[in-house]
């Protein structure tokens, strides 16, 4: 354990705080009665994790994880047992599709669980520790890993003991469970935590969009607020119940919060140290997949190979029983051969694929969807390329589902069609930008406009004549209904103005009036809106001492107009009843 922490300290932490955590952990490991489990995790009572989650109930089953730490950026690092090393600025780069998945998951959680305050950088930190960002971004255009990422079988030999729960569907192992995918979920956890993050109708732990969204929901359960350090620690520890794991994830979280950038898929750096490897820090074992030295751990630890004779690539130890190994994906080739260009590599520019006008009334769905075509230098279509559409500007418009970002894969014609845009209540212009995920080419901007809600007809809801005595108030409320082509026109702005006459729309300076918040007379009101049923009841009307007939004009965007007559007159004298009048005839 001391050697393990010495190695970590040589790598150093991103910040002084993280370095201090590592030093504290080192000190704890040197204390009396400290022991370590089969994965090199501390088990002293003085360093017990805050979570007591059993392995079978955690996201990963407490599977091994990568112990690499971010490069040391501080000019005055804490003292270490060796010379700190830096993996280089590439450590801040995250493969484009993987980064897109993290940000998309954060956006979805911001809507569905706003109190959780999940930062996408936390998903990136866990993704780095669990799989090296999906083995450096080895994913296809839909976000599915190229080759499965499978951890060692959890057979109790150096790991937790978790009997098979999925009949080998996800991990290919019908005897024990293995952690699966870029976020390393065990099948029993995925069974309830799995999500469909890319909208293809299925939840696949090998898809980075699905796995990132599932990890976000997993971390946000139990009502935790991840902006609170104690809740953040608890959530991380339920992912993998190890204090060392917590410190490693927190160091990457801090690193990514300080800044990161998008890099092409498949170009990310691969981690080298793993928590179950006593020689962590060395290069990955021959034949490894980039996520684990082998996609299947031996059922029984085999003999330790001599330094002069490394073990055969991917070959498990002597298990002494029937094979239950999952299928192993081919290892990436060694050396640095020139990779074959992917469809994304061939994209030279984006073209408008026929979008002509983007205008919608507030609250409505835009009738036209944005279409973008990916093309080569020669103008040929490029299929199977992921296009990211982003809503920009001061607007509350979103795509269907409430998200500001959507990623769509181009079809065989090179065209990607964005989800429908939904206008918010905020009017004005905004921009939707299309970019290629995983490639730096100029984005393509589309201008969109949200106009006011409209009505073409206003009608009174009552036919009562509106009268008032001088200096009094109109007793009957004035209600109106707005419609558009016969249908209810809700949330339509209505202007009410007391004008001089139907022929003269100038504001009147006498007669009926409204009152403002300070009780002062006003004769024009704006900001009135109809309700969900298209109805509006106007504020109370008052009259000054001027008698006469007056006009109240109501107007809306869309051309609706309604003129209402108001009368101010003295109350009529009562007509005398002859039967009650005294007699003027002389007495007999």
């Amino acid at each position: 354990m001391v050697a393990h922490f010495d190695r970590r300290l040589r790598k150093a932490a991103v910040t002084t705080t993280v370095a201090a955590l590592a030093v504290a952990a080192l000190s704890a490991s040197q204390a009396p009665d400290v022991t370590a489990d089969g994965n090199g995790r501390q088990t002293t009572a003085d360093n017990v994790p805050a979570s007591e989650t059993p392995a079978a109930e955690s996201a990963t089953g407490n599977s091994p994880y990568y112990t690499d730490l971010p490069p040391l950026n501080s000019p005055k690092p804490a003292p270490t047992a060796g010379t700190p090393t830096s993996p280089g600025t590439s450590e801040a780069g995250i493969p484009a599709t993987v980064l897109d998945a993290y940000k998309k998951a954060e956006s979805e959680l911001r809507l569905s669980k706003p109190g959780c305050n999940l930062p996408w950088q936390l998903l990136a930190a866990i993704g780095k520790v669990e799989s090296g960002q999906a083995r450096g971004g080895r994913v296809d255009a839909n976000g599915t890993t190229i080759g499965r990422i499978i951890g060692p079988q959890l057979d109790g030999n150096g790991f937790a003991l978790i009997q098979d729960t999925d009949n080998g569907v996800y991990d290919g192992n019908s005897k024990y469970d293995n952690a699966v995918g870029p976020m390393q979920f065990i099948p029993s956890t995925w069974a309830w935590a799995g999500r469909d993050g890319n909208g293809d109708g299925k939840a696949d732990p090998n898809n980075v969009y699905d796995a990132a969204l599932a990890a976000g929901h997993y971390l946000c359960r139990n009502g935790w607020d991840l902006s609170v350090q104690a809740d953040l620690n608890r959530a991380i520890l339920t992912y993998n119940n190890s204090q060392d794991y917590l410190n490693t994830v927190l160091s990457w979280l801090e690193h990514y919060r300080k800044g990161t950038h998008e890099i092409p898929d498949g170009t990310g750096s691969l981690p080298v140290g793993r928590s179950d490897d006593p020689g962590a820090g060395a290069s990955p074992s021959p034949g490894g997949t980039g996520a684990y030295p082998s996609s299947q751990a031996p059922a029984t630890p085999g003999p330790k190979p001599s330094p002069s004779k490394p073990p055969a690539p991917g070959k498990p130890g002597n298990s002494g029983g029937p094979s239950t190994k999952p299928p192993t994906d081919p290892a990436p080739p060694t050396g640095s051969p020139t990779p074959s260009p992917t469809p994304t590599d061939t994209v030279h520019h984006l073209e408008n694929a026929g979008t002509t006008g983007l205008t919608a009334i507030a609250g409505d769905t835009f009738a036209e969807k944005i279409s973008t075509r990916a093309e080569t230098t020669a103008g040929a279509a490029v299929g199977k390329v992921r296009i990211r559409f982003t809503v920009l500007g001061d607007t509350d418009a979103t795509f269907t589902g409430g998200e500001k970002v959507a990623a769509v894969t181009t079809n065989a014609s090179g065209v990607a069609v964005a989800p429908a845009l939904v206008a918010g209540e905020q009017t004005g212009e905004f921009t939707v930008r299309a970019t290629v995920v995983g490639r730096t080419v100029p984005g393509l901007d589309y201008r969109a406009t949200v106009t006011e809600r409209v009505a073409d007809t206003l009608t009174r809801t009552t036919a009562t004549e509106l009268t008032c005595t001088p200096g009094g108030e109109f007793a009957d409320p004035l209600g109106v209904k707005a419609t558009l082509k016969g249908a209810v026109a809700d949330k339509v702005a209505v202007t009410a103005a007391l004008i001089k006459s139907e022929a003269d729309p100038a504001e009147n300076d006498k007669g009926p009036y409204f009152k403002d918040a300070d009780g002062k007379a006003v004769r024009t009101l704006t900001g009135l809106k109809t309700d969900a049923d298209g109805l509006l009841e106007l504020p109370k009307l008052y009259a000054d001492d001027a008698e006469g007939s007056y006009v109240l004009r109501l107007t809306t965007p869309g051309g609706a107009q309604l003129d209402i007559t108001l009368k101010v007159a003295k109350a009529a004298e009562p007509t005398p009843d002859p039967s009650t009048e005294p007699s003027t005839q002389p007495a007999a």
Side-chain angles (χ1 to χ4, degrees):
M1 178 58 72
V2 173
H4 175 62
F5 275 95
D6 281 344
R7 173 181 58 75
R8 293 186 63 208
L9 288 173
R10 282 196 297 271
K11 290 185 179 180
V14 176
T15 62
T16 303
T17 301
V18 176
L21 284 169
V23 171
L26 172 60
S27 300
S29 70
Q30 294 171 330
D33 300 324
V34 172
T35 60
D37 64 14
N39 292 328
R41 301 185 180 97
Q42 294 179 13
T43 58
T44 175
D46 293 331
N47 195 29
V48 174
S51 167
E52 297 179 356
T53 305
E57 296 178 9
S58 72
T60 69
N62 296 336
S63 291
Y65 56 90
Y66 286 107
T67 58
D68 283 7
L69 289 175
L72 180 63
N73 294 327
S74 171
K76 295 181 180 179
T80 65
T83 302
T85 60
S86 170
T89 56
S90 63
E91 288 298 337
I94 299 178
T97 299
V98 180
L99 179 60
D100 185 55
Y102 297 150
K103 291 185 176 181
K104 191 173 187 294
E106 180 200 55
S107 178
E108 198 281 339
L109 267 298
R110 192 183 299 122
L111 293 172
S112 61
K113 297 181 180 179
C116 177
N117 294 306
L118 171 80
W120 66 262
Q121 292 91 341
L122 176 59
L123 297 176
I126 291 176
K128 178 71 174 181
V129 168
E130 293 297 345
S131 68
Q133 311 298 19
R135 297 184 293 201
R138 292 183 64 226
V139 296
D140 63 20
N142 293 316
T144 301
T145 58
I146 300 172
R148 292 192 291 178
I149 302 174
I150 302 177
Q153 68 178 15
L154 301 174
D155 58 4
N157 291 304
F159 310 109
L161 174 59
I162 304 179
Q163 302 286 346
D164 173 65
T165 60
D166 67 328
N167 198 30
V169 170
Y170 293 121
D171 54 16
N173 190 340
S174 59
K175 187 173 183 181
Y176 300 102
D177 269 348
N178 305 63
V180 179
M183 302 303 277
Q184 287 292 279
F185 279 95
I186 54 174
S188 57
T189 302
W190 185 259
W192 60 264
R195 295 290 192 282
D196 176 16
N198 63 351
D200 64 356
K202 60 182 180 180
D204 180 4
N206 298 295
N207 182 278
V208 70
Y209 286 95
D210 296 358
L213 183 58
H217 278 282
Y218 182 90
L219 294 164
C220 286
R221 71 198 195 286
N222 298 333
W224 285 324
D225 179 356
L226 302 186
S227 65
V228 177
Q229 190 65 46
D231 281 359
L232 175 64
N233 291 353
R234 292 187 189 99
I236 295 172
L237 284 166
T238 64
Y239 213 89
N240 191 312
N241 191 21
S242 160
Q243 186 70 35
D244 201 19
Y245 180 87
L246 171 65
N247 293 343
T248 305
V249 170
L250 289 176
S251 69
W252 281 107
L253 170 60
E254 180 67 17
H255 182 67
Y256 289 136
R257 276 176 166 165
K258 287 185 174 181
T260 185
H261 57 275
E262 181 181 289
I263 61 175
D265 291 340
T267 65
S269 60
L270 300 179
V272 294
R274 218 175 77 190
S275 60
D276 64 330
D277 180 8
S283 299
S285 303
T289 63
Y292 290 99
S294 168
S295 63
Q296 173 66 50
T300 304
K304 187 174 182 180
S306 64
S308 60
K309 188 177 182 180
K315 187 175 181 179
N318 184 11
S319 65
S323 174
T324 58
K325 295 184 293 181
T328 302
D329 297 309
T334 58
S336 301
T338 302
S340 300
T342 66
T344 301
D345 295 330
T346 67
V347 177
H348 177 263
H349 61 272
L350 296 176
E351 289 287 343
N352 187 333
T355 305
T356 56
L358 293 168
T359 302
I361 297 172
D364 286 356
T365 298
F366 284 75
E368 186 173 7
K369 294 181 179 180
I370 296 173
S371 297
T372 299
R373 175 180 160 99
E375 297 184 353
T376 64
T377 306
V382 185
K384 298 184 179 180
V385 172
R386 202 161 182 83
I387 306 298
R388 181 189 297 128
F389 298 94
T390 306
V391 177
L392 304 172
D394 184 16
T395 180
D396 56 354
T398 64
F399 292 111
T400 302
E403 296 189 6
K404 294 274 190 179
V405 179
V408 181
T409 303
T410 58
N411 59 23
S413 299
V415 175
V417 180
L421 273 171
V422 179
E425 295 303 318
Q426 188 170 339
T427 59
E429 290 189 344
F430 64 94
T431 299
V432 178
R433 179 167 296 163
T435 55
V436 181
V437 176
R439 185 161 175 79
T440 305
V441 298
L444 185 60
D445 287 350
Y446 298 81
R447 301 296 294 176
T449 303
V450 178
T451 60
E452 290 184 286
R453 292 172 180 260
V454 298
D456 56 18
T457 306
L458 282 171
T459 56
R460 284 192 61 187
T461 54
T462 61
T464 307
E465 185 179 40
L466 297 170
T467 61
C468 179
T469 58
E473 59 184 52
F474 290 81
D476 294 321
L478 174 56
V480 296
K481 182 175 182 177
T483 56
L484 177 64
K485 297 179 180 179
V488 166
D490 64 322
K491 299 181 182 178
V492 173
V494 178
T495 298
L498 290 149
I499 60 177
K500 291 187 175 181
S501 69
E502 292 183 0
D504 186 357
E507 183 180 277
N508 212 333
D509 56 0
K510 62 181 180 179
Y513 61 90
F514 299 104
K515 287 184 179 180
D516 64 12
D518 297 323
K520 296 180 180 179
V522 293
R523 289 186 167 86
T524 300
L525 290 180
T526 59
L528 304 172
K529 284 192 175 183
T530 61
D531 63 16
D533 297 319
L535 301 175
L536 170 66
E537 184 174 298
L538 273 70
K540 184 179 285 294
L541 277 161
Y542 303 85
D544 60 15
D545 294 332
E547 295 185 66
S549 293
Y550 300 91
V551 177
L552 171 63
R553 175 165 290 175
L554 306 178
T555 57
T556 72
Q561 178 178 305
L562 176 64
D563 289 344
I564 301 171
T565 300
L566 307 174
K567 292 184 179 181
V568 179
K570 291 181 180 178
E573 295 291 337
T575 302
D577 185 351
S579 66
T580 61
E581 291 292 319
S583 175
T584 58
Q585 298 294 327

